[in-house]
Structure formats: C-alpha cells, structure tokens
Amino acid sequence: MGDEKTESTEDGGKDAPPERAISRRALLLGGTVAVGTVAAVVARDELGRLWWRIPGVEKGREEGAVDARGAQWIAASSANWRRADRPDDYEIDRVVIHVVQGGYRTALKVFKDPGHGAAAHYVVRKDGHIAQMIRELDVAFHAGSRSMNERSVGIEHEGFVDKKESFTDAMYEASARLTAGICGRYDIPVDREHIIGHVEVEGTDHTDPGPHWDWERYLRLVRRERDRPSRPARTGTPA
C-alpha cells in the first residue's frame, strides 16, 4: 500500500486506455457466435490465447487453494480484484513489492473491505507468516495501474517505510521464498527490472517499500531460494 492511501479503481482513478475493437478480455464467445466467426475477425495467434474462455475449458478452481506452499488462505473482498485466468490471458512478468504502512491485521482488514478498492495477492507478516488473499490466476488491484495489475503479482509487507526495524530477517526470508516461487512458476528473471517496488510503477504517488528496504539483500535471497533444491516450506505461526 504505502502512504496510507487507497486506490479506488483498478487503474488508480485514471480513465482506462481504449480497448481494441476485440480484446482478449472482452470477446464474447457465448450465444450464437461460432468459433468460425470469431476466427474471421481475430488473428490466429490472438484466438489461440482465447481458447480457455470457451465454456467448459476455463481452469478449475478449488475454494481456499493457495499458490504458495505454506501460505494461509484469507480471502480478499471480490470488489478488490478481477477474475482472470493468468497467464493464459495475461502474461505475468513482474513482482511488485509493497509495504502496508501498518500492521498485518490492518492489511487483512482493508483488503477484506469492499469499499477499499485495492488488495494484494499476498501479505507477509514480520515473523514470516504469509497470507494469500487473491489467487495468482486473478488480477489484484494493487499497483494503481491497470496494465501493471494485469502483468504482476503483488506482495504486501507488514511495517512502515520509515522504520528499518519493520523489515525483519524472518520477513526477508519468507518473502524471498515467496518471490522465488512466483519467478519459477512464470519464468520471471530475478532482477530489478522484473522485481520492483510500488514506487517504481509508472504514474504512482506511492513511496513503498521505501529507503530502508534492502534490495541487494532481497535479490540475493531470492536467487538463493530459486537455486535451492525443493524442500518443505517454513512459515511463521498462523494468525
């Protein structure tokens, strides 16, 4: 979050860019529209990205399932995210690091509030416990930018941007494991072009994760976790 500001719309309050005549998200495949008709107006490679929207082939979902092993499922309000089927409809190539500007429970409370207008996929507590609030399949309203929301996974961290002590060893370790897993699932390079702070999202007025977030340390830990053989996940004590 950062700066204790909310984002009342997915694109940070700005008008969304005009859609193409037929977009990946808006194309209707129901009713009497046949696949042959769709193919006549959509490029072949575009149609290939839309196969999952045909009734009956959308990815299966299990209530309460998590993407990160060891995370605790705590659902965000459905008003704070948009259903999708990533990465089939939107490529995931960014991880965005946020700081709550408050406590873990504060983040859970506001992300469960339909009036807040924003939520991240994950929240990391100072002891390393992780809550997943939105599936990685779906688009979380966390970055204040429609295009960045569609292409990224957002991770909130308990604490304050101006307090270095907010960022504990346990938090760094748990967050690095989480990010390494995300990068592995979507083949995201572990570098500062692809793992960014909220402050680096174009058009944002947020400052998180702030000057005390140790990027060099964090990327070193992410690379270590990426290269480590698979092992049981470690988490903090559940909420």
Side-chain angles (χ1 to χ4, degrees):
M1 286 189 288
D3 296 342
E4 298 181 311
K5 297 179 181 177
T6 63
E7 293 163 6
S8 58
T9 63
E10 182 182 355
D11 61 359
K14 302 176 184 177
D15 291 337
E19 294 287 348
R20 289 175 292 176
I22 297 178
S23 73
R24 287 182 292 183
R25 299 294 299 136
L27 185 65
L28 299 179
L29 297 180
T32 60
V33 179
V35 172
T37 303
V38 175
V41 293
V42 183
R44 180 174 297 178
D45 61 341
E46 186 75 0
L47 182 61
R49 300 183 188 202
L50 289 164
W51 67 268
W52 61 272
R53 298 297 286 173
I54 299 171
V57 300
E58 187 174 8
K59 287 191 181 80
R61 292 165 184 260
E62 180 181 345
E63 185 175 357
V66 295
D67 298 295
R69 186 172 54 183
Q72 178 187 11
W73 177 254
I74 302 176
S77 168
S78 60
N80 298 331
W81 55 274
R82 171 160 52 90
R83 189 179 178 94
D85 209 354
R86 303 190 306 168
D88 289 318
D89 50 356
Y90 303 111
E91 180 184 8
I92 300 175
D93 65 0
R94 295 290 189 276
V95 176
V96 181
I97 302 300
H98 302 260
V99 173
V100 174
Q101 286 299 87
Y104 172 82
R105 292 187 180 278
T106 297
L108 301 187
K109 180 179 179 180
V110 298
F111 291 167
K112 290 190 288 185
D113 178 3
H116 183 61
H121 294 90
Y122 295 98
V123 182
V124 184
R125 205 164 61 192
K126 63 182 179 181
D127 67 355
H129 180 68
I130 296 171
Q132 180 168 4
M133 304 194 74
I134 299 167
R135 290 292 305 277
E136 291 173 12
L137 285 167
D138 297 318
V139 176
F141 303 161
H142 67 97
S145 161
R146 177 175 177 172
S147 62
M148 184 58 71
N149 287 342
E150 289 170 349
R151 72 191 301 181
S152 66
V153 174
I155 305 176
E156 282 281 359
H157 296 80
E158 179 177 26
F160 298 86
V161 297
D162 58 348
K163 295 182 178 180
K164 187 176 182 178
E165 61 272 21
S166 292
F167 311 129
T168 65
D169 292 344
M171 176 181 285
Y172 274 120
E173 295 272 352
S175 181
R177 286 193 295 275
L178 176 59
T179 294
I182 295 166
C183 290
R185 283 190 284 282
Y186 307 108
D187 197 25
I188 302 172
V190 179
D191 58 34
R192 286 287 284 114
E193 180 182 351
H194 296 86
I195 303 173
I196 65 174
H198 193 178
V199 66
E200 296 168 84
V201 175
E202 185 175 0
T204 190
D205 59 357
H206 290 238
T207 63
D208 53 318
H212 299 300
W213 183 262
D214 190 337
W215 281 109
E216 182 177 352
R217 176 186 182 185
Y218 189 65
L219 264 68
R220 184 173 66 250
L221 290 171
V222 175
R223 293 186 184 109
R224 185 194 71 184
E225 293 299 326
R226 176 197 61 187
D227 298 336
R228 191 190 298 276
S230 297
R231 63 179 184 177
R234 294 175 297 165
T235 65
T237 304

